[in-house]
Amino acid sequence: MIDFVPAPDWHPVATVAVFAIVYLGMFLGGLPRLKLDRTGVAVLGAIAMIAVNGWSVEEAAAAIDLPTLVLLFAFMVLSAQMRLGGFYTAVTRAVGSWPLAPTALMGALLVVVAALSAVFSNDVVCLAVTPVVVRMAWQRGWDPVPWLVAVACAANIGSAATLIGNPQNMLIGSVMGIPFGAYVRAALPPVLLALAGLWAFMAWRLRTGATPTVPLRPLTGAAAGVDLDTPAFDRWQSTKGLLVAGVLLMVFLFTDWPHEVAALVAAGILLLSRRLHSAQVMGLVDWPLLLLFAGLFIVNHGFEGTGLAAQAVAALAARGIALADPLVLAVAGVTLSNLVSNVPAVMLLLPHLQGHDQGVTLALVSTYAGNLLLVGSIANLIVADLAQRDGITLDWRRHAAIGVPATVISLLAWWGWQALAAWTGFATM
């Protein structure tokens, strides 16, 4: 009599295969020979995951963290309001016009960009300020590339200061339920240290000549011009956006209202306008990013169902490599963020974290990691793309000359603050 061995269930195998292909796409920025970007890969992966597991549409939708998507959408509307009101451009122009020495001007620019990125989207801030910084450098006869890289690094660092500064922080805050005020108190000191370190490094470069402050070529044509293809400053629209943002921050800090509901109401108020058409505002919403989030939520939910991720985390913990160790979590966050980008990395790690301290650590290190490589952050790519339109080449080597030290400085600032807090008994959360 022949004993038949039951055939293995193909569903877990197919689920793992879909997950692996999706994250290969996250690593490559698409899939070979296919016209797909990361969003396209995530959406197709979600469709495949639904088909493989036989989920209904309702079951798939339940895997999506809707509060995160609502919060992200609402702040995209707020950032669109500020950009269409010309606020970012006006502020950057004002700073660039100050009669300051290069080191002082660098410090002022980094602080302004970081502060804007902490409240509004770092990507939108870079989109608005990059052309202004290019003209500022040209008019003063400076090489714009170091200034642009420094701005991108400051935007990433500053965005780590709050739970609304970038998409991965919004995700962490929403899923882990971290209080807004508690997060700011924990994150602000290491962020300020990282920003100060970035300024000190850039000031050193300016003083030693690593960042030239002498004319590189005669300023003619577009280089000598100051006209930017950006919205003119609208005092009313900018004031309206600032008032709504201020009230929203007060709600986050001093009430227990659901953040996503408060933000959605704020977005609705901004959409009520007699000057800015809703199509203009909606046109600046990053719909592909929202789809990327939705797709990855579904893909990750399918993979979590296999139990493989939990088993791997448990096996590592048994060998003394536990995510509860801040250094282990930092290494995992930085590594994954540079392999698959910070949003997918955060999605992978979040289910295995416990406690708000770990959430703060992941938010900081995954954001800092975006400065390491040119492709590590959307903000970096936005700056490089806009620079290219002005005939400026910002390649990975020129970015790495500043981005790598900025990342190391930021991570050392975080580690130093952790060590100081542990030595003094100061509770970071």
Side-chain angles (χ1 to χ4, degrees):
M1 183 175 179
I2 300 175
D3 293 328
F4 289 96
V5 178
D9 188 355
W10 62 272
H11 291 90
V13 176
T15 296
V16 172
V18 170
F19 174 83
I21 292 171
V22 168
Y23 275 86
L24 176 63
M26 295 300 107
F27 173 70
L28 298 175
L31 291 177
R33 300 190 178 186
L34 294 175
K35 298 293 185 180
L36 291 172
D37 58 8
R38 285 188 172 94
T39 297
V41 172
V43 170
L44 286 180
I47 294 171
M49 198 66 79
I50 292 170
V52 163
N53 290 281
W55 295 336
S56 66
V57 173
E58 291 77 10
E59 289 173 312
I64 299 173
D65 190 86
L66 190 57
T68 298
L69 294 187
V70 169
L71 187 65
L72 191 55
F73 165 78
F75 272 92
M76 287 177 180
V77 171
L78 177 58
S79 291
Q81 169 80 21
M82 302 307 296
R83 185 184 174 206
L84 291 172
F87 177 75
Y88 302 134
T89 302
V91 170
T92 312
R93 277 177 173 167
V95 173
S97 67
W98 292 346
L100 299 175
T103 54
L105 183 59
M106 176 66 76
L109 188 62
L110 296 184
V111 168
V112 168
V113 170
L116 290 174
S117 298
V119 180
F120 307 103
S121 167
N122 60 337
D123 298 343
V124 176
V125 170
C126 286
L127 192 65
V129 306
T130 295
V132 185
V133 173
V134 169
R135 269 66 177 184
M136 179 201 75
W138 269 339
Q139 289 166 355
R140 294 176 182 237
W142 301 339
D143 179 4
V145 170
W147 292 79
L148 293 175
V149 178
V151 162
C153 290
N156 288 326
I157 292 172
S159 73
T162 69
L163 288 173
I164 56 176
N166 57 58
Q168 63 269 19
N169 280 22
M170 292 185 194
L171 174 62
I172 292 169
S174 176
V175 172
M176 299 196 72
I178 302 175
F180 188 87
Y183 176 87
V184 172
R185 288 192 296 273
L188 191 57
V191 164
L192 292 177
L193 288 173
L195 192 63
L198 173 63
W199 173 78
F201 174 71
M202 292 306 301
W204 171 79
R205 283 179 60 95
L206 290 169
R207 293 192 183 102
T208 59
T211 296
T213 55
V214 295
L216 301 176
R217 57 187 171 122
L219 300 183
T220 60
V226 294
D227 293 332
L228 303 175
D229 185 19
T230 54
F233 178 65
D234 187 318
R235 187 179 302 276
W236 163 242
Q237 296 299 337
S238 296
T239 302
K240 178 182 176 182
L242 288 173
L243 286 174
V244 170
V247 171
L248 193 56
L249 287 177
M250 293 302 102
V251 170
F252 284 5
L253 287 169
F254 302 113
T255 76
D256 57 358
W257 295 355
H259 292 177
E260 65 278 4
V261 175
L264 197 59
V265 170
I269 293 172
L270 293 176
L271 288 172
L272 288 172
S273 176
R274 292 185 297 176
R275 298 184 186 179
L276 295 181
H277 198 287
S278 60
Q280 288 180 281
V281 179
M282 292 296 189
L284 293 177
V285 171
D286 192 347
W287 299 105
L289 181 60
L290 296 176
L291 281 174
L292 174 71
F293 266 72
L296 289 180
F297 274 127
I298 294 172
V299 170
N300 287 354
H301 178 69
F303 183 66
E304 286 297 319
T306 66
L308 293 175
Q311 292 171 22
V313 171
L316 290 173
R319 290 168 172 77
I321 308 174
L323 292 178
D325 184 335
L327 287 178
V328 172
L329 180 56
V331 170
V334 171
T335 303
L336 284 174
S337 292
N338 280 283
L339 287 176
V340 297
S341 187
N342 42 28
V343 168
V346 165
M347 286 189 171
L348 283 175
L349 292 170
L350 262 181
H352 311 291
L353 302 188
Q354 295 178 348
H356 293 167
D357 283 333
Q358 293 184 30
V360 174
T361 295
L362 181 59
L364 290 171
V365 300
S366 63
T367 302
Y368 291 164
N371 284 332
L372 186 65
L373 303 175
L374 179 61
V375 296
S377 164
I378 296 298
N380 299 344
L381 296 176
I382 288 172
V383 170
D385 180 60
L386 292 178
Q388 186 64 46
R389 296 181 191 180
D390 280 318
I392 301 167
T393 300
L394 202 176
D395 58 21
W396 70 268
R397 290 182 180 86
R398 299 202 71 185
H399 177 274
I402 296 172
V404 172
T407 304
V408 173
I409 289 169
S410 300
L411 293 173
L412 287 175
W414 165 80
W415 178 81
W417 178 251
Q418 290 281 321
L420 178 63
W423 180 63
T424 60
F426 176 75
T428 57
M429 280 293 290

